[in-house]
Amino acid sequence: MSSHFTLQMLPSRSSNLGILQLNNPSALNALTLDMVRSLNAVLPQWQADPSLKSTLMYGSNECRRPAFCSGGDVRAVYDAGIAPKAGEEHGWGKRGLVTSDFFREEYTLNHRIATQTKPQVSLWDGIVMGGGVGLSIHGKYRIATENTIFAMPETGIGLFPDVGGMYWLPRLKGGLGNYIALTGCRLKGDDLLYAGIATHFVPSEKLDDLKEALVEATTSSETDGDCVASLLMSFHEEPSKSESSSFLEKHRNDIDATFGKDKSSMEEIVDSLHQLPSASAEDTFGKETISTLSKMSPTSLKVTLEGIRRGAALPDIAKVLKMEFRMCQGFMRTSPTSDFYEGIRAVLVEKDYKAKWNPATLEDVTDDMVESFFQELGEEHELILEEKDGDEMSKL
């Protein structure tokens, strides 16, 4: 089926349903370059097959905890960039370097998923972070369960919420996009439904039944249209309400007041958090959010906020991904900052969780430094995407 075969990605077909199983359980199904290449080979074949009606993507159930995909394999990117070989110049989009090839091919995959015409169903049963979000957020249907833990935690590793994040985050209501992007907050199923990030909620105990039903629906359908929409609605349930229901809904007013689209700088966001009144002693949203932001890379925070502002003004996912490729290459360089390498060291290599960001404060991150992350890479090194009529179709 594919010339890019890897046991970490298991494509198969059941009747008229294409099935994509992420199979990297030792790393919570983290997305490797081999997996990206396998998907980039398989998906065009399936999209060209008129008999295939839909695709289903889910993670291996052999992980030590439930996981759809815990993110991209940024450790491999770190290893390639932290000790460059003679003559290598990382951070300028040059082909043949992992620090550029991984993102170029991953973003190409994100674009392919966003513009495919056949509905993709992704089962978010467990951890969904970073690169795992990119595999699924642009597909038509995203199914949360009681096990779902969703996050874009990149500002905590000296990067930014990429894989199309600069497209869908600013298109969320109010201050939700800025809040999710900058804080890396972990969201559960009820939060995802509230924000419009997940399309359905299905208890994990019913996922096997759903899989079987999807096969049957694609087998019996004679239409060229969406044959899974009504089926998914028949499985959809409202999450059980508990005392701690949707965090985003509970704190929506504070989120909009402090992270709203009218906030033009990180300094303004932090100031508004300091000024947030507390309704009670238990109301600690402002203090806790300030504490969270203080742990993030100041450069990442400012570049992310600027990327969201620019992404909101771009008309389609292709143009946003091209911008994101320039941004990610900025983080692969060691000047004006090496926060990506420091962040990965602190979180994934030495695991001391004591990153020493440079610059260390928001005030020291200048406008010129932020602008450097958006500079052109030169025609031969830019991200080139095949233009499609559906480029505006990212499904969120």
Side-chain angles (χ1 to χ4, degrees), residues 311-377:
L314 292 174
D316 57 57
I317 186 68
K319 290 181 175 59
V320 171
L321 287 167
K322 291 176 182 179
M323 177 188 74
E324 287 190 0
F325 187 68
R326 294 175 179 176
M327 294 169 67
C328 80
Q329 289 305 286
F331 283 102
M332 296 303 103
R333 300 191 283 268
T334 56
S335 176
T337 178
S338 58
D339 275 6
F340 169 74
Y341 298 103
E342 172 61 11
I344 297 301
R345 178 207 65 76
V347 175
L348 296 180
V349 181
E350 297 179 13
K351 299 181 180 181
D352 59 15
Y353 299 94
K354 296 179 180 179
K356 297 180 180 179
W357 306 122
N358 180 29
T361 68
L362 290 170
E363 293 73 20
D364 289 334
V365 181
T366 67
D367 291 345
D368 286 344
M369 292 172 65
V370 172
E371 185 63 33
S372 72
F373 287 83
F374 297 88
Q375 63 182 301
E376 296 181 2
L377 302 173

Side-chain angles (χ1 to χ4, degrees), residues 119-134:
Q120 174 177 308
V121 180
S122 300
L123 304 184
W124 283 350
D125 188 34
I127 296 172
V128 188
M129 295 185 182
V133 174

Side-chain angles (χ1 to χ4, degrees), residues 201-218:
F201 182 94
V202 177
S204 60
E205 63 183 16
K206 296 184 178 181
L207 291 182
D208 286 342
D209 291 339
L210 175 58
K211 293 176 185 178
E212 293 179 9
L214 286 168
V215 173
E216 177 60 28
T218 56

Side-chain angles (χ1 to χ4, degrees), residues 13-18 44-55 117-119 214-225 227:
R13 179 167 176 161
S14 184
S15 187
N16 297 328
L17 179 68
Q45 299 175 38
W46 284 3
Q47 289 297 308
D49 185 345
S51 67
L52 190 138
K53 305 297 184 182
S54 179
T55 57
T117 57
K118 298 175 182 180
L214 286 168
V215 173
E216 177 60 28
T218 56
T219 301
S220 58
S221 174
E222 296 181 358
T223 178
D224 291 331
C227 62

Side-chain angles (χ1 to χ4, degrees), residues 68-211:
F68 172 77
C69 175
S70 61
D73 186 10
V74 288
R75 173 63 192 269
V77 176
Y78 167 90
D79 288 339
I82 193 66
K85 298 177 181 177
E88 289 185 348
E89 189 177 11
H90 293 271
W92 297 100
K94 293 185 177 180
R95 298 178 186 273
L97 300 177
V98 174
T99 53
S100 56
D101 287 351
F102 180 86
F103 295 104
R104 177 181 286 106
E105 296 180 43
E106 184 183 25
Y107 294 179
T108 299
L109 175 60
N110 300 147
H111 180 252
R112 178 164 282 128
I113 291 170
T115 56
Q116 63 189 348
T117 57
K118 298 175 182 180
Q120 174 177 308
V121 180
S122 300
L123 304 184
W124 283 350
D125 188 34
I127 296 172
V128 188
M129 295 185 182
V133 174
L135 289 178
S136 49
I137 193 75
H138 307 295
K140 190 169 186 179
Y141 300 115
R142 288 96 51 193
I143 316 301
T145 77
E146 75 280 5
N147 297 321
T148 305
I149 301 175
F150 177 106
M152 295 296 286
E154 287 82 1
T155 58
I157 58 169
L159 197 57
F160 72 101
D162 62 337
V163 293
M166 301 295 96
Y167 181 86
W168 65 267
L169 284 160
R171 286 162 173 81
L172 297 180
K173 294 179 180 180
L176 293 178
N178 284 346
Y179 176 74
I180 292 168
L182 297 170
T183 66
C185 60
R186 297 191 173 198
L187 304 176
K188 297 182 179 180
D190 51 3
D191 292 307
L192 299 174
L193 284 178
Y194 173 76
I197 297 171
T199 58
H200 301 80
F201 182 94
V202 177
S204 60
E205 63 183 16
K206 296 184 178 181
L207 291 182
D208 286 342
D209 291 339
L210 175 58
K211 293 176 185 178

Side-chain angles (χ1 to χ4, degrees), residues 238-258:
E238 291 298 324
S240 59
K241 292 294 183 180
S242 64
E243 293 181 2
S244 57
S245 58
S246 170
F247 178 89
L248 295 181
E249 183 176 10
K250 179 181 178 181
H251 295 284
R252 176 64 185 276
N253 289 338
D254 288 342
I255 290 172
D256 286 353
T258 53

